[in-house]
Amino acid sequence: MSAPTYTAEPTRRTTHRAPVSRRGPRRRHSADRPRRSVLLTVLMGLTALYALMPLAWLVINATKTQKSLLDSFGLWFSGDFALWDNISQTLTYDDGIFVRWFLNTLLYVVVGAGGATFLAVLGGYGLAKFDFAGKRAVFATVIGAVAVPATALAVPTFLMFSKMGLTNTPWSVIIPSLISPFGLYLMWVFAAEAVPTELLEAARVDGSGELRTFFRVALPLLTPGIVTVLLFTMVQTWNNYFLPLIMIKDPGWYPLTLGLNAWNAQAATAGGQPVFNLVITGSLLTIVPLVIAFLLLQRYWQSGLAAGSVKG
């Protein structure tokens, strides 16, 4: 008698399906596709509006005459487009004194801000890459100088320069502008991170001197920091008002800030002629070099993203 045969039943495979989301596929956020925020967009729009509104007011009102400036709405153009006439009058008014003020400001910026940047680069590099006695004391002094406002030092500086006979001269504006504690601190911090010590040691092993190492190796790596300090000191010197106010009495040595303020004060003097259209046009011409400088130098900031990298 033959044994019974059994046939195995096929096993049923159960597959579990993931629940389908009705919200759709999730979006992955990365650096290329950042997450959008309506609140941040609105806040940035309000910030941009707050920053650009004075500039728009300045551009619009620079196109108006003295009469239409007082009779029209401030944030819209009037019937007469007088921008080119205002520019011509600004450059030729009072025997072209505006051009003299512009050249004075350019002198203060080139010598003062340029010298402050050069000294900040040298001092910051030396403090970051060399050890010497009293380094902590120097650090504390620099931090303390950053915390002291410039207005607190204006009167002592005036008394000192008065005894030296330097008041009412360009040196009374240039010499104080050569000192920038914040620029020195910024270059100190930037040089400590952007210039690798190993790279300097390799240059010294190859026989390079300290000056050659600084100008050929360290200086290219410090370019973004140099541009930042240069723009900071340039804007500070260009817009400097209080120091020239107490140092200079001769209108021939006025910077643009004092000169435009003198034009604006003419309306309050007895028999003075109001020239508000020239004050506004001169203010517009004053900010044009700063805007050009920012547009030309901003690309150097991006060049410092890889600064300080060393191949292993």
Side-chain angles (χ1 to χ4, degrees):
M1 184 174 179
S2 60
T5 58
Y6 299 93
T7 57
E9 295 182 358
T11 59
R12 296 180 180 179
R13 298 180 180 179
T14 57
T15 58
H16 299 279
R17 296 181 179 179
V20 179
S21 176
R22 297 181 181 180
R23 299 180 179 178
R26 297 181 178 178
R27 296 180 179 179
R28 296 181 179 180
H29 302 286
S30 60
D32 298 331
R33 300 178 60 184
R35 182 179 179 181
R36 297 179 179 179
S37 175
V38 179
L39 179 60
L40 290 179
T41 303
V42 173
L43 291 177
M44 291 301 298
L46 293 176
T47 303
L49 182 63
Y50 175 79
L52 295 177
M53 185 67 71
L55 181 60
W57 182 91
L58 190 64
V59 173
I60 291 173
N61 288 274
T63 63
K64 301 179 182 180
T65 61
Q66 176 68 26
K67 181 180 179 181
S68 61
L69 187 64
L70 303 176
D71 298 339
S72 60
F73 180 61
L75 292 177
W76 195 247
F77 299 92
S78 64
D80 299 330
F81 187 83
L83 177 61
W84 310 120
D85 293 337
N86 288 337
I87 293 177
S88 178
Q89 293 178 21
T90 302
L91 298 178
T92 58
Y93 182 76
D94 197 9
D95 296 331
I97 191 63
F98 182 85
V99 179
R100 174 67 183 270
W101 294 339
F102 180 84
L103 295 177
N104 293 340
T105 305
L106 194 63
L107 173 66
Y108 301 149
V109 169
V110 171
V111 181
T117 304
F118 180 72
L119 294 178
V121 172
L122 291 180
Y125 173 78
L127 291 170
K129 295 303 175 181
F130 294 94
D131 292 329
F132 54 89
K135 187 175 182 179
R136 293 184 178 181
V138 174
F139 178 78
T141 303
V142 172
I143 295 298
V146 172
V148 176
T151 54
L153 302 176
V155 174
T157 305
F158 171 77
L159 296 177
M160 180 177 62
F161 278 66
S162 178
K163 292 184 177 180
M164 298 173 61
L166 295 178
T167 55
N168 202 26
T169 63
W171 296 110
S172 61
V173 179
I174 293 175
I175 294 178
S177 301
L178 293 175
I179 308 301
S180 177
F182 179 75
L184 176 60
Y185 175 74
L186 183 62
M187 288 306 306
W188 186 349
V189 175
F190 188 83
E193 298 294 334
V195 182
T197 306
E198 295 82 0
L199 193 62
L200 300 179
E201 293 178 353
R204 292 163 183 164
V205 170
D206 292 339
S208 177
E210 292 297 336
L211 290 178
R212 184 179 180 183
T213 302
F214 172 74
F215 285 104
R216 299 293 297 273
V217 178
L219 198 60
L221 298 176
L222 295 175
T223 300
I226 294 174
V227 172
T228 303
V229 175
L230 177 61
L231 288 175
F232 174 79
T233 54
M234 183 179 66
V235 172
Q236 184 181 17
T237 306
W238 192 277
N239 297 327
N240 196 359
Y241 174 78
F242 189 68
L243 181 64
L245 178 64
I246 66 175
M247 289 291 186
I248 298 178
K249 296 181 180 180
D250 185 6
W253 289 113
Y254 276 1
L256 287 171
T257 52
L258 286 185
L260 293 176
N261 181 69
W263 279 2
N264 188 46
Q266 285 186 186
T269 59
Q273 178 184 3
V275 287
F276 296 123
N277 59 327
L278 303 187
V279 174
I280 294 176
T281 306
S283 301
L284 180 62
L285 296 177
T286 300
I287 66 173
V288 169
L290 295 179
V291 175
I292 294 176
F294 270 91
L295 294 178
L296 293 179
L297 297 177
Q298 66 177 352
R299 63 188 184 93
Y300 291 99
W301 291 336
Q302 300 177 358
S303 65
L305 295 178
S309 59
V310 182
K311 294 183 179 180

